[in-house]
Amino acid sequence: DAGVTQSPTHLIKTRGQHVTLRCSPISGHKSVSWYQQVLGQGPQFIFQYYEKEERGRGNFPDRFSARQFPNYSSELNVNALLLGDSALYLCASSLDHTGSYGYTFGSGTRLTVV
Amino acid sequence: QQQVKQSPQSLIVQKGGISIINCAYENTAFDYFPWYQQFPGKGPALLIAIRPDVSEKKEGRFTISFNKSAKQFSLHIMDSQPGDSATYFCAANNYGQNFVFGPGTRLSVLP
């Protein structure tokens, strides 16, 4: 079985640009969460989606948005990129929105803003 | 109150030794405490997890000890191996809420 797949794996963008990151959850998983991991720190929660609805949002500016599609895949969009947005963006999938079954993380998208 | 504190920041252990990483939390609503292992260039992988109704859980060389009254939990890695060298994150959540991660511990096991 395929795990959580994220694309692209690496990305370099210029300040002010927009970026779209994509995630496909494990088959059968209906919840997708997005985390930002700055180098040397633990992952920080950005969004959780379950059954195509937003279930939670972390302390991130409105430049960050996301959505979940009918096939449960998800996109994370970041507008007006700042240097501080450089990080590893992790997608995690789970069976449901409770977290009771733990998360399975993808390998992430490494975003560098120059 | 949502913070999870983790120590030490880094840890060096000889092969065959015991690695111990500690975490503390404030939010008494947390009811699930996983540990994740992360290798460079990879996402975190679930290692072992515990719920507050038990004080200890063991899976192979990995043990979680949980102290509900002190709001602390720890990961013990017995017979540490060079392949265990990675960054370890503790985390916590309560039902239906997002996970809160500790800042991580970089473990180096010397051969």
Side-chain angles (χ1 to χ4, degrees):
Chain A
D1 283 341
V4 178
T5 56
Q6 292 187 242
S7 63
T9 55
H10 295 83
L11 202 52
I12 300 176
K13 289 285 190 178
T14 304
R15 275 178 298 175
Q17 284 189 316
H18 163 270
V19 69
T20 298
L21 310 181
R22 295 178 175 83
C23 172
S24 293
I26 291 173
S27 177
H29 284 196
K30 298 182 178 180
S31 178
V32 169
S33 298
W34 288 94
Y35 283 77
Q36 180 195 64
Q37 186 177 20
V38 173
L39 194 63
Q41 297 182 19
Q44 297 291 317
F45 173 70
I46 309 175
F47 285 109
Q48 184 189 43
Y49 277 78
Y50 175 67
E51 290 283 14
K52 301 176 289 294
E53 291 191 4
E54 182 181 304
R55 297 289 301 206
R57 182 185 184 116
N59 188 24
F60 280 80
D62 291 343
R63 300 184 295 108
F64 288 76
S65 64
R67 55 179 175 169
Q68 186 177 34
F69 299 100
N71 67 353
Y72 302 109
S73 67
S74 177
E75 283 183 355
L76 175 69
N77 295 283
V78 186
N79 292 324
L81 284 167
L82 303 174
L83 295 179
D85 295 331
S86 296
L88 180 68
Y89 287 85
L90 295 163
C91 172
S93 78
S94 56
L95 282 169
D96 63 17
H97 66 288
T98 67
S100 299
Y101 304 98
Y103 283 179
T104 301
F105 282 89
S107 293
T109 294
R110 172 71 63 187
L111 172 65
T112 302
V113 182
V114 297
Chain B
Q1 194 178 20
Q2 282 291 95
Q3 237 183 348
V4 174
K5 297 179 181 179
Q6 183 173 348
S7 63
Q9 189 174 27
S10 62
L11 182 61
I12 299 175
V13 174
Q14 293 287 338
K15 179 182 176 182
I18 302 173
S19 304
I20 301 174
I21 305 171
N22 301 298
C23 283
Y25 63 97
E26 290 294 325
N27 188 346
T28 55
F30 287 149
D31 63 359
Y32 180 69
F33 302 88
W35 283 90
Y36 282 85
Q37 179 189 56
Q38 186 176 30
F39 293 104
K42 299 293 185 182
L46 180 63
L47 196 59
I48 187 173
I50 198 169
R51 295 194 184 278
D53 53 343
V54 296
S55 60
E56 186 174 282
K57 182 175 181 179
K58 183 176 181 179
E59 290 184 1
R61 297 185 294 110
F62 301 93
T63 300
I64 299 179
S65 296
F66 187 85
N67 186 330
K68 187 174 181 179
S69 60
K71 293 184 285 187
Q72 295 175 348
F73 58 110
S74 60
L75 175 69
H76 295 232
I77 306 174
M78 311 299 288
D79 188 26
S80 298
Q81 299 296 313
D84 297 330
S85 297
T87 300
Y88 292 81
F89 294 97
C90 60
N93 91 320
N94 58 309
Y95 188 91
Q97 303 299 313
N98 59 283
F99 281 84
V100 179
F101 285 83
T105 295
R106 179 174 290 184
L107 172 65
S108 297
V109 182
L110 303 179

